Amino acid sequence: MSNEERTGLYVESTIIMTTVRVVAPFVLTFALFVMFHGANSPGGGFQGGVIAGSVLMMLAFAYGIDAARQWVDVRVISALASGGVLVFAAIGLGTILLGGNFLEYHLYEQFISHATAYGIELVELGIGGIVASVAIGLFFLLAAGFGHAVDDPEGES
């Protein structure tokens, strides 16, 4: 599909753009709330990560996918995913180094007070970062379409 055929896919709407601009910070705040309260109430890193990833999707729908793709660098998404994995692994493997099992938070109490609460929150944030980056990455991959994966029958001799 050429660029001329793709014109008209995005229609600029001042109402949608303004609404998304106002709502996006609140949705991101709610995502962090869900992540931080996941240990004590329904929610957690997965749910909060999906909500956080949806913020970029809202921006893409309001301002256009190409504009959103230009705003967010692929390296930022990769750093978010790998940073989440590193946080999760570091906290979990640190307890093994201290002689316990994976993610036995109470072993950190000798170094820091309330280590269990902090450990759980950091793990939830790490999981949230992983899920948000995967959701954003999948969104951009699906938005790119599958035209490159289909053989062009007209191009064959």
Side-chain angles (χ1 to χ4, degrees):
M1 182 181 324
S2 69
N3 284 342
E4 289 138 14
E5 294 173 9
R6 296 190 71 173
T7 58
L9 288 177
Y10 171 70
V11 177
E12 195 170 291
S13 169
T14 307
I15 295 171
I16 293 174
M17 292 167 68
T18 304
T19 303
V20 167
R21 191 177 315 131
V22 170
V23 170
F26 293 105
V27 174
L28 190 57
T29 303
F30 180 65
L32 292 173
F33 173 81
V34 170
M35 280 188 227
F36 280 125
H37 287 85
N40 302 326
S41 64
F46 185 85
Q47 293 85 346
V50 170
I51 296 169
S54 72
V55 171
L56 187 64
M57 293 175 210
M58 285 188 331
L59 290 169
F61 288 134
Y63 293 94
I65 293 172
D66 292 331
R69 200 180 306 245
Q70 291 173 356
W71 294 336
V72 179
D73 192 6
V74 174
R75 293 175 290 194
V76 173
I77 303 297
S78 298
L80 188 61
S82 58
V85 170
L86 288 175
V87 165
F88 184 81
I91 292 172
L93 295 174
T95 57
I96 291 175
L97 292 175
L98 293 173
N101 294 322
F102 191 75
L103 292 177
E104 241 183 303
Y105 302 111
H106 68 86
L107 294 174
Y108 291 121
E109 294 284 343
Q110 59 188 336
F111 304 112
I112 223 172
S113 63
H114 307 292
T116 301
Y118 294 141
I120 291 171
E121 299 304 332
L122 284 172
V123 165
E124 294 293 342
L125 282 175
I127 293 170
I130 295 166
V131 172
S133 62
V134 168
I136 292 167
L138 287 174
F139 172 74
F140 281 137
L141 284 173
L142 287 173
F146 296 102
H148 64 281
V150 178
D151 292 330
D152 185 16
E154 296 173 11
E156 296 176 348
S157 316

